[in-house]
Amino acid sequence: MRLFLDTSILLAASGSGRGASRFVITEAASYGWELVSSDYCEAEAKHNLPKLGKSADRVWAVQLAPRIRLVRASVALDKPLVFPRAKDRPVVITALAVRADWLLTLDRGDFHTKLGREVYGLRLATPGEFLLEQRARGAL
């Protein structure tokens, strides 16, 4: 199963050792999940990591980044996408381009509220929602 991680997930996992974001990244290999994000999300995360404290940069570089395959952000899609947040369009388009099964984000306002729970077969959820669904399916 391929999971695309939004910037908010990268930041949450870097800033806190607890929580669903860190669990998804550190335990992905145990469950056969492929983690993907984009250079766009990584750049945005690196810009904001200093706001999370001194250890966040190190956690990102040493513990988390090696577990995530980074791809070049896509900005074009062969299907219509009505999504008002220009800065978040590359996230959705790239997740679709890499054929992710899930787009994990903590940004409910910009993603879930405006796009719903699914876009062209790409499911949108918070890491907590994703983990609850996996547990309900017996996959955890």
Side-chain angles (χ1 to χ4, degrees):
M1 179 179 328
R2 186 170 296 141
L3 310 178
F4 190 91
L5 309 179
D6 176 40
T7 304
S8 61
I9 305 305
L10 307 181
L11 288 169
S14 298
S16 173
R18 300 183 184 131
S21 296
R22 177 76 68 93
F23 180 88
V24 165
I25 295 173
T26 60
E27 299 303 318
S30 303
Y31 295 102
W33 303 331
E34 178 188 358
L35 302 179
V36 182
S37 193
S38 69
D39 55 353
Y40 178 85
C41 292
E42 181 190 36
E44 191 175 21
K46 283 183 172 181
H47 176 76
N48 288 293
L49 280 171
K51 298 174 188 175
L52 301 177
K54 293 179 182 180
S55 66
D57 280 321
R58 186 178 186 320
V59 168
W60 167 250
V62 175
Q63 296 178 26
L64 305 178
R67 300 170 189 258
I68 301 167
R69 179 170 62 99
L70 293 175
V71 299
R72 171 172 262 160
S74 298
V75 293
L77 186 64
D78 62 350
K79 302 171 179 133
L81 178 65
V82 179
F83 189 45
R85 294 287 298 182
K87 77 173 194 75
D88 293 326
R89 276 189 210 121
V91 175
V92 176
I93 293 170
T94 306
L96 288 165
V98 299
R99 301 185 192 282
D101 300 296
W102 293 82
L103 166 57
L104 300 185
T105 181
L106 294 169
D107 193 347
R108 289 183 177 156
D110 285 340
F111 288 91
H112 303 168
T113 302
K114 293 180 175 83
L115 290 174
R117 304 307 261 166
E118 187 174 315
V119 177
Y120 295 117
L122 172 68
R123 299 189 60 191
L124 284 75
T126 66
E129 293 165 343
F130 167 75
L131 292 171
L132 286 172
E133 172 143 339
Q134 296 309 300
R135 182 182 296 160
R137 295 178 63 219
L140 276 184

